[in-house]
Amino acid sequence: MSSAAPLPAPGPRGIPPLFARLVDDAALFPPGNAPMPDAVRMHLAGREGERAGVMGLFLCNASRLPELITELVKAKPAKPVALSLVIDTGLGGVPKALSIVESRAELLALRMVEMPAPADVDDVWLERVNEFVPEDVIRVVEPRRGGQEWLDGIRRVVDHGSWPKIRCGGLSREAFPSVDEVADFLAVISRGEASFKATAGLHNAVRHTDHETGFEHHGFLNLLVATSRLLSGGDVRGALSETDGAVLAAEAAELSDQAAHAVRAVFGSYGSCSLSEPVEDLEGLGLL
């Protein structure tokens, strides 16, 4: 069963297809932790902004759905908010959460369901995910990173038609995977001809060291270029390690629309608590 993403259409207002709907809105999540009223207000404003085509889905925990609905009732959006539902209530809580979303179709349009995997990502659990989540909704599963078991879990996720998710950072040094770990993840994706989602630590386009924490942050442009090289048989680790934004930008700018669509059919999207930071980086590199 293939879990490849549908090709993203070019974004509005001339957003290049490589960046169309790339950045899912994770304003509610660390390190942003925006209050729900602020997150909803900023998301709705972002949908109307000049760079609206870069913004993807709005991420919300299942446990916070009532809060989200309350704020949307007040805001009266002109069209439903495209939602990625992050399951923090256990797999058993999925049916109730989906029922709540479906009952407010004037406010919410469910596009994706994301959940952490148990320590043992077995076939029975993955089949239950498939049973609970409608076929027209993208399923995203995050196996716990570490060693061969992690890679085996990713393969099982792909085999069951879901997108694996890779966490690229967090609040501790251990939360940041190495270049080799990200490359190993991409190799599994390539063998399965699958799509994936990334999250955490990717606010900026280019790999860099945070001066306050000393943590090495991955860049979302690095990941896009690495995915391009994955498809063409190029140096994936070199792309992930690159710290020269001009080098990455030049390679990204040379991609045809067809090649960009192929990249995004693999690298579906990533979550960021900021939309402005990715946009500013892309503008600074001359890519928007």
Side-chain angles (χ1 to χ4, degrees), residues 130-144:
N130 289 357
E131 291 170 7
F132 287 156
V133 181
E135 288 186 4
D136 61 347
V137 175
I138 297 169
R139 304 177 302 275
V140 179
V141 174
E142 180 184 353
R144 298 182 187 179

Side-chain angles (χ1 to χ4, degrees), residues 81-278:
V81 168
L83 175 70
S84 179
L85 185 63
V86 181
I87 303 301
D88 61 342
T89 53
L91 190 56
V94 172
K96 180 180 179 181
L98 295 186
S99 178
I100 292 172
V101 174
E102 290 167 2
S103 72
R104 304 312 301 257
E106 78 282 7
L107 300 175
L108 294 168
L110 185 64
R111 297 287 182 261
M112 179 179 286
V113 172
E114 306 181 43
M115 64 192 79
D120 179 17
V121 195
D122 62 19
D123 293 332
V124 173
W125 187 87
L126 288 165
E127 281 302 320
R128 289 188 69 202
V129 172
N130 289 357
E131 291 170 7
F132 287 156
V133 181
E135 288 186 4
D136 61 347
V137 175
I138 297 169
R139 304 177 302 275
V140 179
V141 174
E142 180 184 353
R144 298 182 187 179
R145 177 169 55 85
Q148 187 59 42
E149 289 183 3
W150 174 55
L151 298 177
D152 291 342
I154 294 164
R155 291 188 186 96
R156 283 193 290 274
V157 170
V158 170
D159 289 344
H160 282 265
S162 295
W163 291 16
K165 179 161 69 173
I166 182 167
R167 188 167 296 273
C168 293
L171 302 179
S172 67
R173 190 177 302 276
E174 293 73 29
F176 291 79
S178 67
V179 164
D180 284 343
E181 285 176 311
V182 178
D184 289 344
F185 173 91
L186 291 175
V188 175
I189 296 296
S190 178
R191 284 194 291 273
E193 296 184 344
S195 304
F196 73 92
K197 180 169 185 175
T199 191
L202 290 170
H203 303 157
N204 294 105
V206 180
R207 182 176 181 83
H208 66 282
T209 302
D210 186 292
H211 296 302
E212 293 184 7
T213 64
F215 298 162
E216 288 283 337
H217 282 252
H218 296 279
F220 68 83
L221 187 59
N222 293 79
L223 201 49
L224 286 166
V225 172
T227 303
S228 172
R229 293 188 187 181
L230 183 76
L231 297 175
S232 63
D235 179 7
V236 171
R237 282 174 171 78
L240 293 171
S241 303
E242 183 60 67
T243 57
D244 189 331
V247 170
L248 293 168
E251 188 166 341
E254 289 176 359
L255 294 177
S256 66
D257 282 357
Q258 182 179 6
H261 280 304
V263 169
R264 292 296 310 287
V266 177
F267 181 7
S269 65
Y270 79 94
S272 172
C273 63
S274 168
L275 179 67
S276 61
E277 287 181 46

Side-chain angles (χ1 to χ4, degrees), residues 36-78:
M36 185 67 75
D38 293 346
V40 169
R41 175 179 51 79
M42 291 186 295
H43 184 81
L44 295 180
R47 295 201 307 187
E48 307 303 322
E50 182 181 357
R51 301 303 191 188
V54 176
M55 187 166 67
L57 308 179
F58 183 83
L59 274 64
C60 181
N61 279 329
S63 62
R64 300 190 69 180
L65 272 175
E67 282 182 78
L68 174 60
I69 290 170
T70 296
E71 293 304 320
L72 288 176
V73 167
K74 295 176 186 175
K76 299 180 176 64

